[in-house]
Structures are given as C-alpha cells and as structure tokens.
C-alpha cells in the first residue's frame, strides 16, 4: 500500500465495511465489542488518521478546543499560563484534538469571540483562564449552553459546586500552608508574607495558607503577625520594596514567603542577610536563581481540564449526565525546595 491509509484500507484489514469503520470512529457504542476491537487494531496497525475536514462535515464537530491567549503580564509570572497552554496542547494532540488560539482585549471582547467561533462551528468547547467573581464569560457560556471548562474556580460563595460550571484549580491554600510548615520544621518562627491586595480570590487563598499555618503553630501572636505581612501589587520592584520595609519595621525575620515568584525575586534582591525566601509558581527564573517555590503542577491541571471537557460530562452545561462524580478538580501543588542563592546586587 502506498500513500496515507484510507477508510477502505482499514475496512479491508479488519474485514468489515466502510460504514462499520465510520461507526467505530463516530459511534462506537453501536458496534459489537469484538468487531470494534478488530477495527481499532487495524487503525492502530495502519496508523490511520481521519481527514479532519471530512470528519467535521460528517459529525458537525471540529475536534477543536478554543482558548484565549492571554497578554504577557511579565516574563516571570506570565510563564505559568504559557506552560499550561503547552501542556494542554500536547495532551490534546495525544487525544486527536486541536487547540485554537484567539486573542481578546477584555472579557466582553472574549465573549464576542466565543459567539463568532461558536457560530462558525470552529470549536466544540472552550477553556477559560483567569477567572474572577461574577465572571461574565462563564455566565454567557452557561446561558448559551456552550461547553467549557475553566482553569481557575468560580470565586462566588455559592457557585463552587455549580453543576453547570466545570473547573480545575490549584489549591493555593495547601501550597502556602506546606511552604510555611517547611520553614517552621526547619526552625523558623517569625515567617513573613508578601502578598496581593484583597479581594483577590487566588491571593486570598494563598495568604490564608500562610496565616493558618502560623496560627496553628502559635509562635507569634495575631498582632505580631500583622507586622510580618506586606500587601502590594505584583512585580519584582514591588517585592524589593516590600522586603526593604520588612527589614526596617518587622524585627527579626526567619523566612519570607511570597504570593508569586516575581515578588520573591524582588525580595531576594533586597535580602543581603540571606533570609530564606519562597515564591509561588516555580517559574524558570526561580530555578535559575535557586529560589524555592510552589509548583502549580500544570500538567495535572491540563489533564483535569481535558478529562472534564471530553470525558463523562463533555464540558456540557446543559444535558450533562446525572452522576455523583465531582465536576471539578482541585490539584494539590508541590513545594520545590532549592538551595538558597543570593542575588549579586548591593542594596542598602
């Protein structure tokens, strides 16, 4: 046989009709198990892959997932979404799915893109990132019955278990709680925290992990703990300023935890005393400078997203099967501990 294998080649190899091969690929439940196994074996042996355009015409499905390409925040924290996108694309390809990237300038503009892509049957569903309380994107998708899964939970008090909103998220509380415990077990008592202003669903979760671990151990009072916390926007320079303020006003520091690697890198710059600093996101920059950091396990996040989008629930917001299976995944992050390395800069 020369050229790429065809449906006819698969049918001849399996001893079935072309229609049976089509049924195995598009409606496997109607094919007898032994016949289906023969066809699947022939597909694997021949390396057959259906022609995507023809399949779309037959099934009215594109086997394509749409996801917004977020604008670059900075070269440090922004790498997390880049890694997630790479993992999602690799794992989708292994399942015969494609990822379509699009851009949007705002949530409302993203909704416009949803409508355009859905009306053109360009995608079967969407993956959303950067969720927030009252997110109009998820409300629109639910109202229009369009399949989606979010990387990031809904942050409203009453919608975490909403059966119409399928989501995967990383447990920020667990990550900062583990990072705090690791420093406490190493002998640290006065552990400071540099975090983001509230309300911030993600930031509040991470702060709570630090705060709960500190209160559980009881090494410092709640009043003293307030002196060990700095709230700031994200960024390297902000981390440097926060660390300088802690050194000047917080007394002895045994360790410092940060809500992001950007803040942690800034804290390291203003840290000539080599106080242990831990970041969050485990970015390439953290690895390069020897910064301990909480890893978000984006490979597991991508796997969870695809499972919800293509598995039992199929990302559906209406007509999903009744099931006791959870419609969300909360991934436990892991702390990556590295030997501390000081940034070679002179800071007064």
């Amino acid at each position: 046989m020369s050229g790429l294998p065809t449906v006819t080649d698969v049918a001849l190899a399996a001893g079935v009709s072309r229609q049976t091969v089509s049924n195995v690929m598009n409606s496997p439940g109607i094919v007898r198990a032994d016949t289906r196994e023969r066809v699947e074996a022939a597909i694997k042996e021949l390396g057959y892959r259906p022609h995507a355009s023809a399949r779309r015409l037959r099934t009215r499905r594109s086997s394509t997932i749409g996801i917004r390409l977020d604008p670059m925040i900075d070269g440090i924290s922004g790498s997390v979404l880049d890694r997630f996108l790479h993992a999602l694309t690799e794992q989708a390809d292994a399942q015969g799915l494609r990822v379509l990237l699009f851009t949007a300038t705002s949530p409302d503009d993203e909704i416009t893109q949803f409508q355009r892509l859905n009306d053109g049957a360009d995608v079967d569903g969407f993956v959303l990132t950067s969720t927030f309380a009252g997110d109009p994107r998820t409300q629109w998708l639910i109202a229009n019955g369009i399949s989606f899964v979010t990387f990031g939970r809904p942050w409203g008090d009453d919608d975490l278990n909403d059966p119409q909103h399928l989501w995967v998220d990383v447990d920020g509380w667990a990550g900062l709680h583990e990072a705090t415990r690791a420093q406490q077990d190493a002998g640290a008592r006065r552990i400071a925290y540099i975090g983001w202003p509230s309300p911030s669903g993600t930031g509040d979760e991470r702060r709570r992990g630090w705060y709960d671990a500190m209160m559980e151990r009881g090494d410092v009072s709640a009043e003293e703990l307030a002196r060990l916390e700095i709230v700031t926007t994200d960024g390297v320079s902000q981390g440097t300023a926060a660390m300088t303020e802690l050194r000047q006003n917080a007394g002895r520091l045994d360790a410092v935890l940060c809500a992001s690697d950007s803040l942690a890198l800034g804290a390291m710059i203003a840290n000539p005393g080599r106080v242990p600093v831990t970041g969050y996101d485990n970015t390439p920059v953290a690895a390069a400078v020897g910064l301990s950091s909480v890893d978000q396990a984006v490979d597991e996040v991508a796997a969870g997203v695809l499972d919800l989008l293509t598995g039992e629930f199929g990302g559906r917001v209406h007509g999903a099967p009744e099931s006791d299976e959870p419609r969300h995944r909360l991934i436990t992050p892991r702390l990556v501990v590295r030997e501390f390395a000081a940034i070679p800069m002179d800071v007064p």
Side-chain angles (χ1 to χ4, degrees), residues 162-197:
D162 185 345
Q164 297 187 101
H165 185 153
L166 281 62
W167 57 267
V168 180
D169 202 6
V170 177
D171 192 341
W173 180 92
L176 260 296
H177 193 272
E178 180 188 1
T180 307
R181 277 280 182 260
Q183 292 296 341
Q184 291 171 331
D185 292 345
R189 295 295 175 263
R190 295 178 58 80
I191 303 172
Y193 180 70
I194 302 174
W196 302 321

Side-chain angles (χ1 to χ4, degrees), residues 132-133 155 196-205 231:
F132 55 93
W155 290 104
W196 302 321
S198 185
S200 162
T202 301
D204 293 347
E205 278 277 297
V231 174

Side-chain angles (χ1 to χ4, degrees), residues 56-69:
R56 281 200 299 273
L57 290 173
R58 290 195 307 271
T59 66
R60 296 187 178 274
R61 294 185 65 83
S62 66
S63 298
T64 302
I65 301 164
I67 181 170
R68 173 189 177 183
L69 183 63

Side-chain angles (χ1 to χ4, degrees), residues 20-306:
T20 299
V21 175
S22 178
N23 289 341
V24 169
M25 292 187 296
N26 300 312
S27 303
I30 68 173
V31 183
R32 286 172 41 187
D34 58 336
T35 302
R36 184 172 66 247
E37 289 171 2
R38 290 206 319 276
V39 173
E40 289 172 344
I43 290 172
K44 183 176 180 180
E45 180 181 352
L46 296 174
Y48 171 72
R49 298 189 68 173
H51 191 278
S53 297
R55 189 174 186 183
R56 281 200 299 273
L57 290 173
R58 290 195 307 271
T59 66
R60 296 187 178 274
R61 294 185 65 83
S62 66
S63 298
T64 302
I65 301 164
I67 181 170
R68 173 189 177 183
L69 183 63
D70 282 344
M72 178 61 73
I73 303 171
D74 60 47
I76 300 176
S77 297
S79 71
V80 176
L81 289 178
D82 290 344
R83 288 160 49 209
F84 166 70
L85 181 58
H86 188 84
L88 182 72
T89 303
E90 278 193 338
Q91 294 183 34
D93 181 68
Q95 297 185 34
L97 302 172
R98 299 176 299 178
V99 174
L100 183 150
L101 302 179
F102 62 93
T103 61
T105 58
S106 67
D108 287 339
D109 186 32
E110 190 168 352
I111 290 172
T112 300
Q113 300 302 325
F114 292 159
Q115 186 167 14
R116 177 180 64 83
L117 293 169
N118 184 68
D119 289 348
D122 295 310
V123 300
D124 298 327
F126 294 94
V127 175
L128 278 64
T129 61
S130 305
T131 55
F132 55 93
D135 194 332
R137 302 172 302 166
T138 57
Q139 294 172 9
W140 187 89
L141 290 167
I142 290 172
N144 287 273
I146 298 173
S147 299
F148 74 96
V149 177
T150 63
F151 174 15
R153 72 195 79 177
W155 290 104
D157 292 336
D158 58 351
D159 57 3
L160 284 178
N161 295 311
D162 185 345
Q164 297 187 101
H165 185 153
L166 281 62
W167 57 267
V168 180
D169 202 6
V170 177
D171 192 341
W173 180 92
L176 260 296
H177 193 272
E178 180 188 1
T180 307
R181 277 280 182 260
Q183 292 296 341
Q184 291 171 331
D185 292 345
R189 295 295 175 263
R190 295 178 58 80
I191 303 172
Y193 180 70
I194 302 174
W196 302 321
S198 185
S200 162
T202 301
D204 293 347
E205 278 277 297
R206 296 177 188 181
R207 177 197 178 275
R208 192 166 57 85
W210 162 77
Y211 185 87
D212 289 352
M214 293 293 288
M215 295 304 294
E216 289 162 8
R217 191 63 63 94
D219 293 320
V220 298
S221 66
E223 180 180 356
E224 185 64 16
L225 205 56
R227 294 180 60 207
L228 292 170
E229 180 179 4
I230 299 292
V231 174
T232 183
T233 54
D234 199 49
V236 176
S237 61
Q238 291 88 333
T240 299
M243 186 66 170
T244 300
E245 183 178 345
L246 284 171
R247 289 173 51 214
Q248 293 173 347
N249 302 323
R252 191 188 85 243
L253 297 176
D254 296 332
V256 177
L257 306 183
C258 300
S260 72
D261 282 352
S262 298
L263 290 172
L265 179 61
M268 290 180 72
I269 292 172
N271 184 21
R274 295 177 64 85
V275 174
V277 176
T278 301
Y280 197 108
D281 286 335
N282 193 31
T283 58
V285 171
V289 301
L291 173 67
S292 295
S293 186
V294 178
D295 187 277
Q296 294 214 50
V298 292
D299 286 341
E300 294 182 45
V301 173
V305 165
L306 287 173

